[in-house]
Amino acid sequence: MVEGPVDDDKIAARVDEYLEGIISKEQFIEELTYYPSQQICFCTMRSLRALSLSKSRIDSAMYHIDSEVLLALMKDYGMSELEAADIYYTSETYIKLTDETTELYKKTWTEIYEILKINLYLCGDFR
């Protein structure tokens, strides 16, 4: 997780302009102080999990399942962490897993992984 005083889409353009030599360092710094605000960037899946302030009984089970499923997707299909996270966290399997009423979280991560692969294959989302 990264926190800082800049959260303005115009800043990215200013960074590019500075790096390309279009604006000076002084102009760049002036722009940064001209558009101040607060930013929090959640750069990893672990930091995103930190957003949850309340702990439910599925949290600890989910943490282990999520980690193992992402690692398996990366290993078995040569995905990056970002690709694996996108596939997993947008899947029907994950939606059902986070629904306490399904009690899917009580299954092992390998069972969840097999369900995920079947669902993705049936939906045509898998390679």
Side-chain angles (χ1 to χ4, degrees):
M1 188 166 20
V2 177
E3 185 176 354
V6 178
D7 182 23
D8 190 312
D9 291 337
K10 297 174 189 171
I11 298 302
R14 297 295 180 247
V15 169
D16 288 340
E17 289 173 349
Y18 171 69
L19 292 175
E20 293 171 12
I22 298 171
I23 62 173
S24 69
K25 182 178 182 179
E26 292 77 21
Q27 288 171 304
F28 177 68
I29 291 171
E30 184 179 322
E31 291 285 335
L32 288 179
T33 56
Y34 184 72
Y35 299 113
S37 62
Q38 195 62 20
Q39 167 181 311
I40 299 174
C41 178
F42 298 90
C43 302
T44 64
M45 298 316 301
R46 187 176 192 179
S47 66
L48 286 172
R49 284 190 203 97
L51 287 174
S52 174
L53 298 177
S54 64
K55 293 290 180 191
S56 71
R57 65 178 184 256
I58 66 170
D59 284 347
S60 61
M62 289 285 298
Y63 180 79
H64 176 70
I65 291 168
D66 293 350
S67 299
E68 295 297 333
V69 168
L70 290 175
L71 287 172
L73 284 170
M74 292 163 55
K75 180 182 174 224
D76 294 347
Y77 296 95
M79 295 180 183
S80 69
E81 182 177 4
L82 186 58
E83 291 170 322
D86 185 49
I87 293 258
Y88 177 59
Y89 290 113
T90 60
S91 71
E92 193 66 32
T93 302
Y94 183 76
I95 292 168
K96 290 177 183 173
L97 181 62
T98 58
D99 180 355
E100 287 188 57
T101 63
T102 66
E103 296 193 345
L104 198 55
Y105 66 92
K106 292 182 178 179
K107 295 189 177 292
T108 66
W109 78 266
T110 54
E111 291 173 297
I112 301 296
Y113 185 53
E114 290 305 314
I115 292 168
L116 174 67
K117 291 192 299 185
I118 290 167
N119 286 340
L120 292 173
Y121 179 75
L122 292 175
C123 293
D125 291 337
F126 235 27
R127 310 171 200 214

